[in-house]
């Protein structure tokens, strides 16, 4: 179902979005060499409880997962990119960490993801992360009334093509609002001028994610964590965006998004 939100409802989503942005900034601050993923998850869980918010991941049991998911954040390392199940892993120098968080505040949801490098960053990892960030900004730029969902997909795919990265189309962006996943689906590759026409009040979670050398994915034995099929490193960037009469409104924008390297 596709539901258009009123300006007041979008503002309520913005409240959730500001909290998600704050929590992901905190993850970026804490993600350091020697930090365990389970400690990061516990910290975010505490933030959610103190805020009186609800995790959209806890008890999440879609058809593709081995549910229910019993964590409040997805943490994916190196060749893992989506639905990373937090586990007993201590971050190492040079690790690439993707964090994906969706929460509900007073019945309205926001969803966002970011990727950082822990410690010493390899240029090829920074390049991959930049590609996802630039693809996200390109999609946001065309998230305007009268354009189509295909324009968003084409914008993301064009950035991936320019960087030389393949694009997986099994998982992509989606509508969002009262629940984490609503219509429409937003592929990370597509043809401009196709698909649903964007209208004011439509809220979307746009989320380009790329692996360096493959568009194929595999699942871990945990039934959740998705990795690049060839073991190449990955990156993931996501924002919740509302279509308005004027410019796109990014509901999960962090205060600073300039740095993708966590150096301790």
């Amino acid at each position: 179902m596709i539901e258009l939100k009123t300006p007041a409802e979008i503002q309520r989503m913005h409240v959730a979005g500001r909290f998600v942005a704050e929590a992901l900034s905190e993850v970026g601050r804490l993600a350091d060499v020697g930090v365990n993923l389970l400690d990061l998850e516990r910290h975010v869980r505490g933030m959610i409880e103190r805020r009186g918010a609800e995790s959209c991941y806890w008890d999440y049991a879609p058809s593709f997962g081995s549910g229910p998911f019993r964590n409040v954040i997805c943490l994916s390392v190196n060749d893992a990119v989506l639905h990373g199940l937090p586990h007993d892993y201590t971050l190492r120098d040079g690790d690439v960490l993707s964090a994906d968080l969706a929460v509900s505040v007073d019945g309205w949801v926001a969803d966002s993801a970011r990727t950082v490098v822990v410690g010493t960053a390899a240029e090829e990892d920074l390049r991959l992360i930049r590609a996802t960030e630039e693809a996200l900004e390109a999609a946001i730029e065309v998230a305007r009334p009268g354009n189509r969902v295909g324009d968003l997909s084409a914008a993301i795919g064009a950035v991936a093509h320019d960087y030389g990265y393949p694009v997986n189309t099994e998982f992509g962006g989606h509508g969002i609002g009262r629940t984490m996943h609503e219509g429409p689906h937003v592929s990370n590759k597509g043809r401009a001028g196709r698909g649903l026409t964007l209208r004011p009040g439509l809220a979307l979670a746009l989320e380009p994610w790329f692996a360096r050398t493959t568009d194929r994915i595999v699942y871990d034995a945990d039934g959740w964590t998705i990795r690049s099929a060839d073991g190449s490193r990955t990156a993931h960037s996501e924002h919740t965006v509302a279509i308005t009469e004027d410019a796109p409104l990014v509901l999960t924008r962090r205060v600073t998004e300039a740095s993708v390297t966590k150096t301790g």
Side-chain angles (χ1 to χ4, degrees), residues 169-244:
T169 56
E170 295 172 67
F171 292 91
H174 49 89
I176 189 170
R178 298 177 189 273
T179 61
M180 177 169 57
H181 287 137
E182 299 179 356
H185 172 72
V186 184
S187 175
N188 285 329
K189 182 171 68 174
R191 295 181 62 181
R194 300 292 183 92
L196 180 77
T197 299
L198 306 181
R199 296 169 57 190
L202 180 64
L204 300 168
L206 303 175
E207 50 178 318
W209 62 273
F210 308 141
R212 190 180 298 156
T213 56
T214 185
D215 61 1
R216 295 177 55 247
I217 57 175
V218 293
Y219 285 80
D220 273 5
D222 63 29
W224 282 104
T225 305
I226 296 177
R227 298 181 183 273
S228 62
D230 64 358
S232 60
R233 288 197 166 187
T234 61
H236 180 201
S237 295
E238 178 182 16
H239 274 312
T240 296
V241 181
I243 311 298
T244 75

Side-chain angles (χ1 to χ4, degrees), residues 32-46:
D32 226 333
V33 176
V35 172
N36 194 288
L37 295 183
L38 293 178
D39 290 332
L40 283 177
E41 197 276 345
R42 279 190 286 267
H43 186 84
V44 175
R45 189 182 303 201

Side-chain angles (χ1 to χ4, degrees), residues 1 3-5 9 12-13 56 104 106-109 176-182:
M1 184 181 70
E3 178 188 16
L4 299 180
K5 285 74 178 174
E9 289 170 338
R12 294 177 69 182
M13 291 181 66
C56 294
S104 173
D106 297 327
W108 293 94
V109 177
I176 189 170
R178 298 177 189 273
T179 61
M180 177 169 57
H181 287 137
E182 299 179 356

Side-chain angles (χ1 to χ4, degrees), residues 60-79:
Y60 182 49
S63 59
F64 58 80
S66 179
F69 198 86
R70 285 300 177 95
N71 290 274
V72 300
I73 188 170
C74 297
L75 297 172
S76 307
V77 180
N78 294 334
D79 60 327

